[in-house]
Amino acid sequence: MISRVNSLSFIFILPVLKRSNYSTASLVTSRNVSKFRILGIETSCDDTAAAVVDSDGNICGESHFSQQETHLEFGGIIPNVAKELHKLHIKSVVSYRVKKKKIPVNDLDAIAVTMKPGLALSLWVGMTYGKHLSVEYNKPFIPIHHMEAHALTPRLVYKDLEFPFLVLLVSGGHCLLSFAKSITEFYTLGLQLDDAPGETFDKVARQLKLRNMDMFKNKSGGEAIELAAKSGDPFNYEVRSVLSGKRNCDFSFSGLKNAAFRRIKEAEEQYKVKASGVIPNYPDICASFQYTVTRHICHRVQRALAFLEMENLITDPAHKKLVISGGVASNQFLFQSLTKVCSQFNYKTYSPEPALCTDNGIMIAWNGVELYRTNSSRIIHNPEHLYLVDIEPKCPFGVDWRQKVVDRNIKTEPFNFMSS
């Protein structure tokens, strides 16, 4: 279990602090202390978040400002708006207070900041402020890969989660499968070719106008669809499986989204729904869409598991684990379905609690802990060398092994997770 000092969603720390004298001689690269604390800063998209995590995995404090309400009004994330909101809130988010105990920056051991991938304008705000703290308080700077942080978050929760394992990252901007060998070694088995799953959930929810209903007004598209689907029929409309003829682990969601759009339009015409109205069979469409997305993801994971078996990459039964992370990982229908698929290969499924699935400062701080503990070469110990690292809005996630999957020519019959 995670030890949380405070679970409030928005609190303040690091208020008024004395500046430490700059001295490059005091910067050491060896870990001479067994206990340490890392500050993590996350601004890759539309969440301004920060947290402090110690070497034992205790969350010493966390803070989060969500821009969701603002961007929902625009119908999508506006990069310039996201940047200005990050600039407006980052100082207060990072300067939070944990109950009555203050955590001075001088008591931290390093600053970890998301540097890639993400929205360029958003990443820039976090990087600039993180570098400022690194120079101002003479602290090592740890550049963080956003997707690696998501992949490693479950290791904070599950202490028995050892390498290697399979990772599925599903979010509003990404969908990928990766073989995780160590904290810095990832091998990509599959990527999304078009829309990400979280993005399609949001677009379908917007097309359904679910926000016009009070019960969905303050929920994200994915949350609204998952809730509505509970009272719907997942077999209301049938969509042919996508990429069924491609023996790889890549993902495609645009076709599933467009099929849902067509069904919504047909229903609006059938029921003569007005511009702001919601079609009466929206639960069925939500359930059907959620099912088709889940079926597609499960089939690709099924092939990835078969690939790992063929390559003998995970032979120890104790390591046969699928880690599911990212914002869409909080969808319980998806998680339960994947658990059923994995059971056929004697794999167990792991996913952090919903609050840790979405973008947050805890995952950045924890990734920083893992890198700091191993004295990673990624760490910038000398503030004069900070110019060597910059944001990378678009960057690969590990080594591309997708062709290796194709070369194996793995035929898989989709597992019927609905009947088991």
Side-chain angles (χ1 to χ4, degrees):
M1 295 296 291
I2 301 177
S3 173
R4 288 178 178 270
V5 176
N6 198 309
S7 60
L8 294 177
S9 61
F10 191 88
I11 29 190
F12 296 94
I13 63 169
L14 313 177
V16 180
L17 305 163
K18 294 182 179 180
R19 177 178 178 176
S20 60
N21 294 325
Y22 175 79
S23 172
T24 56
S26 67
L27 296 169
V28 293
T29 59
S30 60
R31 304 282 77 84
N32 295 321
V33 293
S34 59
K35 301 287 186 180
F36 56 86
R37 291 189 289 194
I38 306 296
L39 168 66
I41 299 174
E42 157 63 22
T43 63
S44 66
C45 190
D46 61 335
D47 291 289
T48 313
V52 174
V53 176
D54 69 19
S55 49
D56 293 325
N58 296 312
I59 300 171
C60 305
E62 59 179 308
S63 179
H64 180 268
F65 174 79
S66 175
Q67 303 177 11
Q68 179 175 302
E69 282 298 311
T70 299
H71 294 294
L72 280 174
E73 295 177 3
F74 287 107
I77 297 173
I78 310 299
N80 282 323
V81 174
K83 173 189 174 183
E84 293 305 315
L85 289 174
H86 282 310
K87 289 172 63 177
L88 181 64
H89 295 283
I90 191 167
K91 185 175 181 180
S92 60
V93 166
V94 175
S95 301
Y96 64 119
R97 182 191 306 264
V98 181
K99 288 187 176 179
K100 295 181 180 180
K101 182 179 179 181
K102 299 178 181 179
I103 304 177
V105 176
N106 286 329
D107 289 351
L108 299 172
D109 292 272
I111 314 294
V113 181
T114 303
M115 298 288 283
K116 58 184 177 182
L119 298 177
L121 297 177
S122 295
L123 288 169
W124 179 84
V125 176
M127 178 196 70
T128 302
Y129 196 72
K131 285 185 175 182
H132 159 71
L133 292 177
S134 177
V135 172
E136 187 80 359
Y137 299 100
N138 196 19
K139 299 297 178 181
F141 183 88
I142 310 177
I144 299 296
H145 190 300
H146 183 80
M147 306 312 293
E148 290 182 2
H150 269 306
L152 297 174
T153 300
R155 281 171 51 83
L156 170 65
V157 184
Y158 305 101
K159 304 304 181 184
D160 63 335
L161 184 58
E162 300 292 338
F163 295 103
F165 52 82
L166 179 64
V167 178
L168 170 67
L169 298 181
V170 277
S171 68
H174 303 275
C175 188
L176 60 87
L177 277 162
S178 179
F179 171 62
K181 191 175 180 180
S182 74
I183 60 173
T184 57
E185 293 178 281
F186 296 89
Y187 300 88
T188 301
L189 307 182
L191 293 172
Q192 93 261 20
L193 303 178
D194 40 56
D195 298 344
E199 179 185 2
T200 61
F201 274 117
D202 288 341
K203 289 180 177 179
V204 170
R206 189 156 60 245
Q207 194 75 10
L208 284 166
K209 294 168 284 188
L210 295 181
R211 285 201 74 220
N212 291 350
M213 303 180 68
D214 289 339
M215 64 187 301
F216 304 123
K217 190 173 183 179
N218 297 316
K219 295 187 178 298
S220 67
E223 291 172 332
I225 287 179
E226 182 180 8
L227 179 58
K230 291 180 179 180
S231 59
D233 175 12
F235 305 110
N236 175 255
Y237 72 91
E238 186 175 352
V239 178
R240 189 174 64 180
S241 298
V242 293
L243 299 181
S244 57
K246 304 291 185 180
R247 295 183 180 180
N248 57 34
C249 291
D250 289 335
F251 303 88
S252 176
F253 298 98
S254 63
L256 304 180
K257 174 196 68 180
N258 291 334
F261 281 2
R262 289 192 294 271
R263 186 68 187 92
I264 294 169
K265 184 178 180 180
E266 291 171 0
E268 288 177 337
E269 293 175 353
Q270 177 185 350
Y271 295 106
K272 296 180 173 55
V273 175
K274 295 181 180 180
S276 61
V278 178
I279 55 177
N281 64 332
Y282 73 88
D284 291 338
I285 291 182
C286 288
S288 296
F289 178 68
Q290 179 178 251
Y291 167 71
T292 57
V293 168
T294 299
R295 180 183 63 185
H296 178 52
I297 293 175
C298 285
H299 189 206
R300 314 319 272 184
V301 169
Q302 189 178 341
R303 179 171 284 113
L305 294 171
F307 173 78
L308 295 180
E309 295 287 299
M310 288 183 174
E311 295 285 333
N312 292 315
L313 291 171
I314 302 181
T315 56
D316 186 346
H319 289 170
K320 290 191 173 185
K321 299 170 181 177
L322 170 66
V323 165
I324 311 166
S325 193
V328 182
S330 60
N331 184 297
Q332 289 305 297
F333 180 79
L334 174 63
F335 180 79
Q336 292 164 10
S337 301
L338 285 167
T339 299
K340 293 176 182 177
V341 172
C342 286
S343 67
Q344 302 302 301
F345 291 83
N346 295 315
Y347 270 68
K348 294 181 179 179
T349 49
Y350 290 77
S351 183
E353 60 189 79
L356 294 180
C357 286
T358 54
D359 293 349
N360 60 85
I362 296 171
M363 71 180 196
I364 306 304
W366 172 246
N367 194 184
V369 167
E370 298 237 72
L371 292 170
Y372 190 82
R373 181 182 287 122
T374 58
N375 195 21
S376 171
S377 60
R378 297 180 182 182
I379 301 174
I380 306 298
H381 293 277
N382 189 336
E384 292 182 344
H385 296 160
L386 286 174
Y387 72 92
L388 296 173
V389 291
D390 199 359
I391 60 170
E392 296 180 54
K394 294 183 179 180
C395 69
F397 177 54
V399 179
D400 193 340
W401 270 13
R402 292 184 297 157
Q403 188 58 47
K404 289 171 69 74
V405 177
V406 173
D407 291 342
R408 273 295 190 174
N409 195 32
I410 304 169
K411 182 180 180 180
T412 55
E413 291 296 329
F415 176 70
N416 187 0
F417 55 84
M418 293 293 284
S419 63
S420 60

